[in-house]
Amino acid sequence: MSIGDNARSLTASGSTSRARALLIGLIFIAIALNYVDRQVLALLKPTLQARFNWNDSDYALLGTTFQITAAISYLVVGWFVDRFGVRRALGWGVGMWSLAGIAHAFAATVSQFVIARVALAAAETVGTPAAVKSAAVYLPVRERSFALGLGNTAPNIGAIVTPLVIPPLALAFGWQAAFIVTGALGFAWLVFWIVGTRNLMPVEKPLAVPADNVSAKVSWSALFSDRRSWAVVGAKLLSDLGWFFLLFFIPDFFARVFAMKQGTLGGPTAVAYGFAAMGALSSGLLFPLLLNQGWSMNRARKTSMFFYACLILPMPLAIYAPNPWIAALIIGVALFAHQGFSTNVFGMTADAVPVARVATVISAGAVAGNLSGAGMIWFAGYSLMHHWGYWPMFAICASAYLLALLWIHLMLPVIRPATT
C-alpha cells in the first residue's frame, strides 16, 4: 500500500468515525426529545386537572392508553426499523411524534387528549429499536455498552430538563405553549438528521448480515423459538413497569405526599432523574471494566444486573421520607438502578441476538414492557382512588428487578455472543 493509499485510508477512517459520532449524538437528542414530549403531560397535571376537571382515573386512562398504544405499535415498529433502516425509520418517527405533541395544545377534552396521546405513543416507539439497531450495526462489541449507556441517559436528560423548563414556561405563556415548543424542537432536529446521516456506513459488512440500508427479512418462527428472545421479553416485562409508573406519577407523588405546587415540582423531579442519567452511564462503564478483568460475557452481564437489582430494594422508603428532597434521593437511586439494569438488557440483546433481528427482539420486549407499564399505571390510579396510596406500586417496583434477573438466568444460563 502506498503513502497516498494510507492517507486516503486514514481520511476515510476519520470521516467514518465522525459520521458514527454524529449518529450517536443525533439519536441521543432524539430520545431526549422523545421523553420531553411524553413528560409534559405529567408536569402539567395540576393545571390540566383543574382546567378540565379530571380525576385520578381520567389521568390514569391517559397513561394506560399511551402504554397500550405503544405496545401495539411495537408489534410492527421493530420490523419497520429492520426492514427500512435506522435513517428512514427514525426520521419518520420524530416527524410524526412532533406533530402529535403539538396536537395536545389544541385538545379540550379527555377524549381529544387520548387521541393525541395515541398518535404520540405510536410514533415514539421507533426510538428505542432504532437506537439499539444502530449500536449493533455501526459499533464493535466493546464500544456498544458505552454507546448504549450514553443513549440510555438521553431519557433522563429529557426528564431532567423538562421539569425545570416546562412549569415556568406554562406559567408564563400558558399550558398550550409547552406542547407547541417541545413539538417544534423535533422538526429542528429533523433538519440535522436528514443532512447529517447521508453518508452512514456499517462498521462491518459480513455476508450473512444485511447492511442497514438493505431489506432484511425477519423469521418470526426463529425469533419466537429462540430462548434469547424470551430472555429479553421477560426482562422487559418485569423491569419496565417501574420506569413507566415513575415517569407518569413522580410529579403527582411529590404534589400529593409533600403538598408541593406545580411551580416547585421541577427541583426534586430533576434530582431524581439526574441519578437515572448516572445509572445508565455507570452501566456503560461497568460491563467493559469487568470484561477487561477477564470475566466472561455471561458473568459480567449478570453480576452487573444483580448489583443494580439490589440497589432498587430500598425504594419504598421514599414514602416515609421527612421531606421531598430525601424522597427524591431515594427515588433517584431507584432510577439509577433501573437505568443500569435496562442498559445491560439492551447490551445483552445487541451482543447475544443475531444482528438482523435485534430491533425486532427489542420491539417484542418493548411490547411486554409497555403492557406491564399500562397495568401498573392503571393499578396506580385504582390505588389512589381507593386511598391505598403509593406503597403497593413502590413495593412491586422494589422486587421486580431480582425477578427479571432470575428469568434471564432461567432462559439463558450462559450468555454468549451471537454467531447466527
Side-chain angles (χ1 to χ4, degrees):
M1 182 179 288
S2 68
I3 293 176
D5 290 336
N6 276 325
R8 283 190 292 272
S9 177
L10 289 172
T11 300
S13 176
S15 178
T16 301
S17 297
R18 288 192 295 272
R20 290 180 198 148
L22 179 61
L23 171 73
I24 292 170
L26 287 170
I27 288 178
F28 178 93
I29 294 170
I31 297 176
L33 290 174
N34 181 308
Y35 277 79
V36 168
D37 288 340
R38 73 171 63 181
Q39 201 185 15
V40 171
L41 183 68
L43 289 163
L44 297 181
K45 178 179 182 283
T47 296
L48 296 175
Q49 203 160 12
R51 171 69 175 79
F52 297 110
N53 198 29
W54 296 348
N55 58 32
D56 288 318
S57 293
D58 293 328
Y59 182 68
L61 172 64
L62 291 171
T64 303
T65 301
F66 185 97
Q67 300 303 139
I68 292 175
T69 302
I72 295 170
S73 300
Y74 273 121
L75 293 172
V76 296
V77 76
W79 168 86
F80 180 68
V81 175
D82 281 331
R83 177 67 173 79
F84 295 102
V86 172
R87 185 171 184 265
R88 295 181 194 174
L90 191 56
W92 277 103
V94 174
M96 294 304 295
W97 88 50
S98 298
L99 278 176
I102 293 172
H104 285 70
F106 302 96
T109 65
V110 171
S111 297
Q112 291 172 356
F113 272 100
V114 166
I115 293 171
R117 297 307 280 179
V118 165
L120 181 67
E124 285 190 341
T125 53
V126 75
T128 299
V132 180
K133 176 79 169 184
S134 67
V137 172
Y138 296 107
L139 298 175
V141 64
R142 286 184 177 271
E143 296 179 16
R144 287 176 192 161
S145 284
F146 178 76
L148 288 169
L150 181 64
N152 222 19
T153 65
N156 309 299
I157 298 302
I160 292 167
V161 173
T162 309
L164 297 177
V165 174
I166 293 305
L169 178 66
L171 289 174
F173 301 102
W175 62 268
Q176 295 94 337
F179 288 108
I180 293 172
V181 169
T182 53
L185 291 174
F187 289 106
W189 175 92
L190 192 57
V191 174
F192 289 94
W193 179 254
I194 293 171
V195 175
T197 60
R198 288 176 297 181
N199 299 316
L200 279 174
M201 294 294 291
V203 66
E204 296 175 352
K205 291 185 180 179
L207 294 177
V209 180
D212 181 60
N213 60 347
V214 177
S215 299
K217 294 183 178 179
V218 176
S219 170
W220 293 99
S221 61
L223 188 149
F224 287 113
S225 63
D226 193 334
R227 294 173 71 90
R228 294 170 293 189
S229 301
W230 288 110
V232 175
V233 170
K236 297 294 284 180
L237 176 76
L238 290 164
S239 61
D240 278 5
L241 57 85
W243 171 260
F244 288 124
F245 157 68
L246 289 172
L247 185 71
F248 205 65
F249 275 99
I250 277 183
D252 182 70
F253 170 79
F254 287 122
R256 188 184 299 264
V257 175
F258 298 102
M260 299 184 71
K261 303 298 183 182
Q262 179 174 298
T264 62
L265 292 174
T269 303
V271 167
Y273 281 104
F275 276 88
M278 291 187 287
L281 285 176
S282 72
S283 178
L285 297 171
L286 178 59
F287 175 71
L289 177 64
L290 296 178
L291 284 182
N292 290 335
Q293 295 298 314
W295 290 31
S296 67
M297 175 182 288
N298 179 71
R299 185 184 179 195
R301 280 288 178 214
K302 290 178 181 176
T303 300
S304 298
M305 290 180 183
F306 181 72
F307 168 72
Y308 291 112
C310 290
L311 279 183
I312 204 169
L313 291 174
M315 180 179 160
L317 296 177
I319 299 171
Y320 307 102
N323 60 66
W325 297 102
I326 300 297
L329 177 63
I330 296 170
I331 294 173
V333 171
L335 290 172
F336 176 97
H338 167 84
Q339 288 295 71
F341 193 95
S342 179
T343 300
N344 270 284
V345 173
F346 290 146
M348 178 186 72
T349 308
D351 294 341
V353 174
V355 68
R357 59 176 188 257
V358 164
T360 305
V361 171
I362 285 291
S363 292
V367 171
N370 277 272
L371 287 176
S372 65
M376 191 70 161
I377 290 171
W378 174 86
F379 178 64
Y382 183 87
S383 177
L384 295 173
M385 286 290 291
H386 287 77
H387 308 292
W388 297 350
Y390 275 99
W391 72 264
M393 291 76 74
F394 277 44
I396 292 170
C397 292
S399 59
Y401 295 81
L402 286 174
L403 292 174
L405 177 56
L406 176 61
W407 172 261
I408 290 171
H409 186 66
L410 291 174
M411 289 293 102
L412 297 177
V414 179
I415 301 171
R416 296 186 177 91
T419 56
T420 61

